């Protein structure tokens, strides 16, 4: 007997019927499962998306503008509020510190409470740094020696001492009643070392072009600084005494202020030009 006969005798043959695929019937308000994208032309689908968007996964509605979405972010609101507070504080700081030293019972306020008060920290550190930078410049030119470095430091100190004595003598001859002390003069005159350091460093990095550009800008800055600082100390006392603006004594005070301010750029160049080659 044929093997197929045994198979037929042992087990009944199963007849295969064509399978019927059930297609789900779409209900009103439901999208077609065979359709990948919604029909945007349908008013019903548009209404359905409009109702679903506000509560869908926490995303903002599609109709919201980018500006509204940005402003709705609490982090953005916090950043904007912080920026506004910083701007207000900066304006208040500028208004309070209008290039004038504050006083309390006829005594200048300590430097830690007033940014315009003379302070010896910056001049002292700038002087020491200037000597170190001068030694660096001499070393790069194979001209370094302890004697030459000591001569550089003593020369800068001697010029500073000569400046202070000349100003004190001029104030005495012009008979100016001012609250400027010797320490105040040392502080104001010591600020020029900051510009000297910048000029020498730029000269070492970029040559004489960098030296002249940076030193020139620093010279202009120190000139304006000395004019605006000393005129409050010298000319303000004249105004309080009732001295006429066009008076001879007041003219001498103005000349003295201009001379002190003009001497700063000259000394800055004199003490640094030989360090850059």
């Amino acid at each position: 007997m044929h093997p197929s006969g045994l198979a037929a005798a042992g087990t009944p043959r199963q007849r295969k019927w064509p399978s019927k695929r059930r297609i789900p019937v779409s209900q009103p308000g439901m999208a077609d499962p065979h359709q990948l994208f919604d029909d945007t032309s349908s008013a019903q689908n548009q209404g359905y998306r409009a109702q679903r968007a506000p509560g869908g996964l926490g995303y903002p509605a599609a109709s919201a503008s980018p500006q509204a979405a940005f402003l709705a972010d609490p982090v953005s609101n916090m950043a904007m509020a912080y920026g506004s507070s910083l701007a207000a504080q900066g304006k208040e700081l500028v208004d309070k510190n209008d290039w004038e030293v504050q006083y309390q019972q006829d005594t200048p306020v300590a430097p830690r409470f007033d940014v315009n008060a003379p302070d010896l920290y910056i001049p002292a550190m700038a002087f020491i740094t200037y000597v170190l930078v001068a030694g660096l410049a001499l070393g790069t030119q194979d001209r370094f020696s302890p004697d030459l470095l000591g001569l550089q430091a003593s020369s800068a100190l001697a010029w500073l001492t000569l400046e202070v004595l000349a100003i004190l003598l001029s104030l005495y001859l012009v008979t100016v009643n001012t609250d400027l002390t010797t320490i105040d003069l040392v502080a104001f005159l010591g600020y020029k070392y900051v510009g000297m350091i910048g000029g020498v460093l730029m000269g070492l990095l970029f040559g004489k072009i960098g030296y002249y550009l940076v030193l020139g800008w620093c010279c202009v800055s120190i000139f304006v600084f000395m004019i605006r600082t000393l005129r409050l100390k010298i000319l303000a006392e004249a105004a309080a005494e009732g001295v006429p603006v066009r008076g001879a004594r007041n003219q001498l005070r103005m000349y003295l202020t201009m001379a002190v301010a003009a001497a700063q750029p000259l000394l800055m160049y004199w003490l640094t030009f030989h360090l850059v080659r």
Side-chain angles (χ1 to χ4, degrees):
M1 183 178 295
H2 196 272
S4 61
L6 294 176
T11 57
R13 183 186 300 270
Q14 296 180 358
R15 186 174 182 180
K16 295 182 179 181
W17 296 91
S19 59
K20 294 183 180 180
R21 188 175 182 180
R22 181 175 297 179
I23 301 176
V25 179
S26 60
Q27 299 294 332
M30 297 178 59
D32 190 353
H34 298 285
Q35 187 174 357
L36 297 179
F37 301 97
D38 293 339
D39 186 5
T40 57
S41 62
S42 174
Q44 181 179 359
N45 289 333
Q46 292 179 358
Y48 175 70
R49 287 197 310 274
Q51 297 175 0
R52 181 184 57 185
L57 299 179
Y59 291 100
S63 60
S65 62
Q67 292 82 1
F70 177 78
L71 294 177
D73 189 359
V75 179
S76 302
N77 294 334
M78 185 183 300
M80 293 179 63
Y82 183 68
S84 301
S85 63
L86 283 181
Q89 292 177 4
K91 183 178 182 301
E92 183 180 359
L93 181 63
V94 171
D95 294 338
K96 287 184 178 179
N97 301 284
D98 191 11
W99 209 293
E100 184 178 357
V101 178
Q102 300 179 10
Y103 285 84
Q104 184 177 4
Q105 296 181 355
D106 298 333
T107 303
V109 179
R112 63 178 178 270
F113 301 120
D114 185 10
V115 296
N116 293 320
D119 189 2
L120 285 178
Y121 177 77
I122 294 178
M125 295 302 296
F127 179 82
I128 297 174
T129 306
Y130 161 72
V131 176
L132 297 177
V133 171
L136 176 63
L138 293 174
T140 57
Q141 301 169 11
D142 296 331
R143 298 189 297 140
F144 177 81
S145 66
D147 296 337
L148 190 58
L149 184 62
L151 180 62
Q152 190 72 29
S154 60
S155 177
L157 186 60
W159 277 109
L160 179 62
T161 305
L162 184 61
E163 280 186 280
V164 174
L165 294 178
I167 295 175
L168 291 177
L169 179 60
S170 301
L171 292 175
Y172 174 76
L173 294 177
V174 182
T175 63
V176 176
N177 295 325
T178 178
D179 59 348
L180 276 174
T181 63
T182 304
I183 301 299
D184 294 340
L185 292 176
V186 173
F188 290 139
L189 298 175
Y191 289 138
K192 63 174 172 288
Y193 293 111
V194 178
M196 294 163 58
I197 295 170
V200 174
L201 289 178
M202 291 299 104
L204 294 177
L205 294 176
F206 304 104
K208 287 192 173 183
I209 297 179
Y211 165 74
Y212 284 114
L213 288 177
V214 175
L215 187 69
W217 183 83
C218 293
C219 288
V220 174
S221 301
I222 195 66
F223 179 81
V224 176
F225 170 78
M226 295 300 292
I227 289 291
R228 298 190 62 180
T229 302
L230 293 181
R231 71 182 178 89
L232 293 176
K233 294 291 187 178
I234 298 177
L235 300 180
E237 293 292 337
E241 295 173 0
V243 178
V245 179
R246 300 286 182 179
R249 291 180 58 187
N250 202 17
Q251 292 293 329
L252 290 176
R253 295 175 181 181
M254 294 177 61
Y255 293 151
L256 176 60
T257 304
M258 295 289 294
V260 174
Q264 305 309 303
L266 296 178
L267 290 174
M268 292 172 66
Y269 175 75
W270 177 257
L271 295 173
T272 56
F273 79 98
H274 59 281
L275 298 175
V276 180
R277 291 186 178 180

